[in-house]
Amino acid sequence: MADLFAPEEGGWLERLSPGAALLHRRVCEIDAALLAEVEAVLRQAPPRGMQTPGGRAMSVATTSCGAYGWVSDARGYRYAERDPGSGQPWPAMPALSRALAEEAAAEAGFPGFAPDACLINCYAPGAKMSLHQDKDERDFGAPIVSVSLGLPAIFLFGGLSRAERAGRIELRHGDVLVWGGADRMRFHGVLPVADGMHPLLGRRRINLTFRKAR
């Protein structure tokens, strides 16, 4: 129903719940510059398919930038200061990306957000993300800022328990989803990404997830 009241040009904010907001088309005007930053990070720290602690392969290829990066292996889910693939520190979080995350958080009602980690999830057609909570951070007071680029995806936004039925939100290129406060620990995931062709990213979806890890 949100599209019925959307402006013909530019972005708009849709309040999904007290602690969650969808900033439609928030980054469309800077998407090329943002993608250039992301591609530079991907060259330094190529995305890779990680494994769950139980040994299952994730369908989404992941890397990170910032002071901390998120990793998963037989030892569990955690943040690390170095890329386990290279042994080097993660690439620095690019300036435009950081500013975008801080501004989007403020627009959604969370001023003062200072992300120190950005997960870069790369989806090929068919890739998905199972329902989960973001709970590896030390402080749950900071929000999650999620930026969508490329192919659209159906985002599952559940409740505070896995058993609660998840709502479905279509995320399109340029959208920014922010959730925190009472909604910070909601279960969420992504349905398998449908095949398609995006004019800027081709057959890809890239998701940038900004967090305050430490």
Side-chain angles (χ1 to χ4, degrees):
M1 293 295 291
D3 285 350
L4 295 177
F5 306 99
E8 293 184 0
E9 296 182 0
W12 76 101
L13 185 150
E14 179 185 359
R15 180 63 60 182
L16 303 176
S17 66
L22 177 56
L23 284 62
H24 294 268
R25 301 203 295 251
R26 175 60 174 77
V27 303
C28 285
E29 293 184 357
I30 60 169
D31 57 359
L34 185 63
L35 181 60
E37 285 191 341
V38 173
E39 297 285 16
V41 170
L42 298 182
R43 288 192 292 271
Q44 296 179 66
R48 74 296 310 258
M50 296 188 182
Q51 289 191 331
T52 68
R56 290 182 295 176
M58 297 181 179
S59 63
V60 178
T62 301
T63 189
S64 298
C65 62
Y68 301 96
W70 186 86
V71 298
S72 174
D73 54 27
R75 293 171 52 196
Y77 306 121
R78 64 194 183 281
Y79 284 98
E81 295 183 356
R82 292 179 177 270
D83 180 348
S86 66
Q88 298 298 313
W90 298 99
M93 190 181 301
L96 180 62
S97 299
R98 179 187 295 276
L100 165 64
E102 294 171 350
E103 293 169 5
E107 291 168 22
F110 300 98
F113 179 51
D116 56 11
C118 174
L119 280 64
I120 304 176
N121 292 322
C122 301
Y123 293 76
K128 63 181 181 179
M129 187 77 70
S130 299
L131 279 176
H132 65 282
Q133 293 173 300
D134 292 339
K135 57 183 181 181
D136 300 314
E137 299 75 27
R138 287 183 180 172
D139 181 6
F140 298 151
I144 303 294
V145 176
S146 176
V147 180
S148 292
L149 299 172
L151 294 176
I154 301 299
F155 184 79
L156 300 174
F157 200 43
L160 299 180
S161 71
R162 190 183 297 274
E164 292 183 59
R165 184 174 181 178
R168 297 187 176 194
I169 303 168
E170 183 179 22
L171 296 180
R172 303 175 184 176
H173 175 79
D175 289 347
V176 180
L177 180 63
V178 182
W179 69 96
D183 294 310
R184 171 62 175 76
M185 297 306 295
R186 280 179 178 259
F187 278 85
H188 56 281
V190 176
L191 291 179
V193 173
D195 202 354
M197 182 63 64
H198 187 272
L200 193 61
L201 284 91
R203 298 176 66 237
R204 292 186 297 165
R205 175 181 189 262
I206 293 179
N207 172 244
L208 311 177
T209 303
F210 297 88
R211 306 176 183 181
K212 183 72 173 69
R214 297 290 183 262

